[in-house]
């Protein structure tokens, strides 16, 4: 499989129930961290990794995602007339030259595995990336997907992002058992979806970045609904292991699960503290809030 990935799939057809009532009208992927929606961070990461074809798997309620990457004639006109050229540049070119966006519909939310399968006609027979935009990975160096794409190109294997989690949290993740790690990678021997802490083969959890061999599509086509009655990507990956090498990759960076309240708060704090213009003010706000709430000592 040692080809560089060019295509990335963004499954954004989930219901986002954990962020109701906001997600009644605003898709989870459009929730902002500072001034950019989660989907923008995910797209930037894919483009940095070398992808030129971005495949969004959406549903009929998520027009906002497609609109975001479309032209906004009226807004552009107003900004131009007002001489707001910096803002105009931001909205005028949502994607760099040479990068195209393709929208595919998942008519029913049958699970992440099913959402990825919906992208098959656009991906064809080449390795590709999957990015879950609600897993936001902050890093000062190369993005997580760039790290993984480099690793996949070198090894020729599929690559799945993992991070260590507390044993009591294994029930929220796909968990992998691996051979010994060399550098950041280890070959996966087994993968289980959301095991109870006592049954988990390790505490290495899968997070929302994958570089996958196209063989996954044939396996997804014959994968039956699993955990939660959904067609799980994890179940198809478990079958891929029997046929091809799949490596777990401990990426460099901090991951925020922005599909949860605390993850979104954590990401906002981190990006604010790292922000060129906002950092000092954000620190001040945080100290003030802690003082006013009577928190004098931090753990
Ligand atoms: P989640 O498990 O976070 O589900 O999906 P969700 O529906 O988005 O959110 P909650 O749990 O109801 O709050 C993981 C990823 O898979 C996509 C989601 O959009 C998200 O990026 N997904 C999930 C689909 O595209 N289709 C599906 O049928 C299910």
């Amino acid at each position: 499989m040692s080809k560089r990935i060019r295509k990335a799939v963004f499954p954004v057809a989930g219901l986002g129930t954990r962020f109701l009532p906001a997600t009644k009208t605003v898709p989870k992927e459009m929730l902002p961290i500072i001034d950019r929606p989660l989907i923008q961070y995910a797209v930037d990461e894919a483009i940095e990794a070398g992808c030129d074809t971005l495949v969004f798997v959406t549903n009929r309620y998520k027009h906002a995602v497609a609109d975001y990457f479309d032209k906004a004639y009226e807004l552009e006109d107003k900004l131009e007339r007002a001489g707001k050229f910096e803002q105009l540049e931001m909205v005028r070119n949502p994607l760099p030259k040479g990068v195209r966006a393709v929208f595919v519909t998942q008519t029913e939310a049958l699970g992440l595995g099913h959402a990825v399968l919906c992208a098959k006609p656009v991906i064809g027979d080449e390795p590709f990336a999957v990015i879950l935009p609600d897993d936001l990975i902050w890093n000062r160096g190369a993005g997580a997907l760039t790290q993984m794409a480099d690793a996949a190109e070198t090894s020729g294997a599929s690559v799945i992002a993992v991070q260590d989690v507390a044993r009591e949290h294994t029930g929220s993740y796909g968990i992998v058992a691996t051979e010994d790690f060399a550098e950041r990678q280890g070959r996966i021997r087994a993968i289980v979806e959301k095991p109870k802490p006592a049954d988990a083969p390790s505490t290495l959890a899968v997070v929302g970045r994958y570089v996958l061999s196209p063989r996954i599509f044939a396996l997804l086509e014959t994968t039956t609904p699993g955990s939660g009655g959904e067609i799980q990507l994890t179940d198809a990956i478990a079958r891929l292991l029997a046929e091809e090498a799949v490596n777990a990759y401990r990426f460099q960076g901090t991951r925020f699960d922005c599909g949860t309240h605390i993850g979104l708060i954590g990401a906002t704090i981190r990006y604010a503290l790292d922000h060129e213009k906002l950092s000092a003010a954000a620190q001040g706000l945080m100290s003030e809030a802690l003082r006013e709430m009577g928190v004098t000592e931090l753990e």
Side-chain angles (χ1 to χ4, degrees):
M1 195 184 85
S2 40
K3 243 172 104 182
R4 185 76 187 186
I5 49 160
R6 295 187 309 115
K7 297 178 179 171
V9 177
F10 304 87
V12 293
L15 301 176
T17 53
R18 284 171 291 176
F19 268 102
L20 283 168
T23 45
K24 191 174 164 194
T25 54
V26 181
K28 179 169 68 171
E29 300 73 21
M30 295 309 294
L31 296 175
I33 303 294
I34 315 289
D35 53 3
R36 300 192 301 156
L38 288 170
I39 193 73
Q40 179 76 63
Y41 291 91
V43 158
D44 288 350
E45 193 180 320
I47 294 171
E48 184 212 65
C51 295
D52 60 13
T53 303
L54 313 177
V55 189
F56 300 91
V57 182
T58 64
N59 65 32
R60 60 189 162 283
Y61 304 109
K62 300 231 174 162
H63 297 293
V65 178
D67 292 348
Y68 182 76
F69 292 103
D70 205 347
K71 281 204 84 66
Y73 292 104
E74 202 183 327
L75 177 62
E76 288 178 25
D77 185 54
K78 282 196 171 144
L79 291 172
E80 190 155 22
R81 281 167 197 269
K84 297 193 168 175
F85 297 111
E86 199 184 324
Q87 287 90 337
L88 178 64
E89 238 358 80
M90 276 179 205
V91 295
R92 185 176 266 167
N93 300 310
L95 293 174
K97 244 193 158 85
V99 175
R100 62 182 180 146
V102 181
F103 293 85
V104 172
T105 304
Q106 185 189 27
T107 47
E108 254 186 287
L110 296 178
L112 175 59
H114 180 258
V116 171
L117 183 55
C118 291
K120 181 184 171 193
V122 187
I123 303 296
D125 192 28
E126 57 183 288
F128 65 102
V130 176
I131 296 191
L132 306 191
D134 44 358
D135 267 340
L136 179 55
I137 300 178
W138 176 88
N139 192 32
R140 286 219 171 97
L145 191 66
T146 298
Q147 301 170 40
M148 294 168 66
D150 290 349
E153 199 175 359
T154 308
S155 68
S158 293
V159 174
I160 296 178
V162 294
Q163 73 171 40
D164 295 284
V165 296
R167 188 161 277 277
E168 64 261 34
H169 294 151
T170 57
S172 306
Y173 296 92
I175 299 289
V176 296
T178 64
E179 289 169 8
D180 287 345
F181 268 60
E183 300 276 325
R184 294 189 165 272
Q185 286 190 88
R187 184 163 174 167
I188 301 179
R189 283 188 284 106
I191 182 167
V192 209
E193 184 65 17
K194 302 188 169 73
K196 291 194 187 108
D199 303 331
S202 79
T203 51
L204 265 185
V206 174
V207 307
R209 300 287 181 282
Y210 308 78
V211 175
L212 294 171
S213 138
R215 174 71 188 142
I216 199 76
F217 291 125
L219 299 172
L220 281 168
E221 272 162 354
T222 52
T223 296
T224 48
S227 170
E230 296 193 332
I231 297 175
Q232 296 289 352
L233 182 58
T234 303
D235 292 343
I237 292 172
R239 294 170 59 207
L240 185 64
L241 300 180
E243 300 184 10
E244 295 180 2
V246 181
N247 291 338
Y249 188 91
R250 254 196 197 104
F251 57 89
Q252 193 167 32
T254 306
R255 169 230 174 212
F256 297 94
D257 179 0
C258 295
T260 67
H261 299 155
I262 200 67
L264 192 78
I265 294 168
T268 302
I269 292 174
R270 180 64 62 100
Y271 280 80
L273 290 177
D274 195 45
H275 195 281
E276 214 189 337
K277 294 185 186 151
L278 299 176
S279 181
Q283 281 183 48
L285 273 182
M286 278 173 222
S287 316
E288 192 184 318
L290 290 171
R291 224 179 14 254
E292 282 180 15
M293 303 294 287
V295 183
T296 48
E297 247 177 66
L298 296 178
E299 272 180 28

